[in-house]
Amino acid sequence: MSRTEPPRTHRFDHWLYRGGRPNRLARAINRAWATVFAAGILQPDRMVTLEVPGRRTGRVISFPLVVADHEGDRYLVAMLGQDTNWVHNVRAAGGQAVLRHGRTESVRLEEVDPGDRAPILRRYLELSPGGRTHIRVDPQAPPAEFERIAAQYPVFRVTPADNW
């Protein structure tokens, strides 16, 4: 059930992130969505803006993401894989970050072991149509398909800052 070609409706999304990196237009779109998500204009609450210090400059970087809920916890998924800048920044910041969606929430992001990612990736694909462009597994595929690709896509558990 793995897919090798993005669905026709998502080819534009695939073009925006050719080579696993956002092109100039994708960066502009991401900035716009980050502003909208941070303001809490759009519902549901799963659309957030992640703010984390840049690992080189220390300047706060904002990035729009979809929060996946699974078994009572919240998770962020790096749909572009291991070399995503926000993943490197979160790791460099020791997991300290801020989520915004109409309000500001200080959080700690704890990386999930690859062996535990499969059900979270499945849930993420149910919630994020844009993620389906980059994570090439059918959302209805058997768990083994998700287990096969889990190590390629970092997943972080969101924990409120007051819990650590």
Side-chain angles (χ1 to χ4, degrees):
M1 294 256 201
S2 293
R3 294 188 312 227
T4 55
E5 279 296 310
R8 178 165 289 189
T9 57
H10 293 290
R11 286 194 182 141
F12 179 68
D13 292 339
H14 187 68
W15 175 80
L16 288 171
Y17 293 93
R18 257 189 329 225
R21 293 288 215 215
N23 64 24
R24 185 176 294 177
L25 178 59
R27 287 191 302 272
I29 291 169
N30 286 340
R31 277 192 300 277
W33 280 120
T35 300
V36 170
F37 290 178
I41 295 169
L42 291 179
Q43 293 299 324
D45 288 340
R46 70 177 169 258
M47 298 173 174
V48 300
T49 295
L50 171 69
E51 294 181 345
V52 64
R55 64 192 179 281
R56 294 186 188 128
T57 66
R59 184 174 53 94
V60 174
I61 306 298
S62 300
F63 199 78
L65 293 172
V66 172
V67 176
D69 58 315
H70 179 68
E71 295 184 349
D73 287 319
R74 298 178 298 162
Y75 298 90
L76 299 178
V77 174
M79 70 180 186
L80 297 179
Q82 294 289 344
D83 289 330
T84 305
N85 277 328
W86 73 260
V87 169
H88 293 301
N89 291 340
V90 164
R91 289 172 177 159
Q96 295 180 348
V98 170
L99 293 182
R100 292 184 50 198
H101 181 87
R103 63 184 175 87
T104 300
E105 178 185 12
S106 294
V107 297
R108 176 156 184 190
L109 302 177
E110 300 168 357
E111 195 156 0
V112 175
D113 183 78
D116 297 328
R117 293 177 186 172
I120 300 161
L121 291 171
R122 171 180 260 166
R123 178 64 176 152
Y124 175 76
L125 291 183
E126 289 173 3
L127 298 171
S128 177
R132 295 176 201 153
T133 303
H134 306 286
I135 300 175
R136 305 269 180 91
V137 175
D138 187 293
Q140 303 306 315
E145 288 292 313
F146 288 93
E147 291 166 3
R148 184 179 58 75
I149 56 108
Q152 299 171 36
Y153 299 96
V155 174
F156 294 86
R157 178 181 295 107
V158 177
T159 306
D162 57 355
N163 288 353
W164 46 279

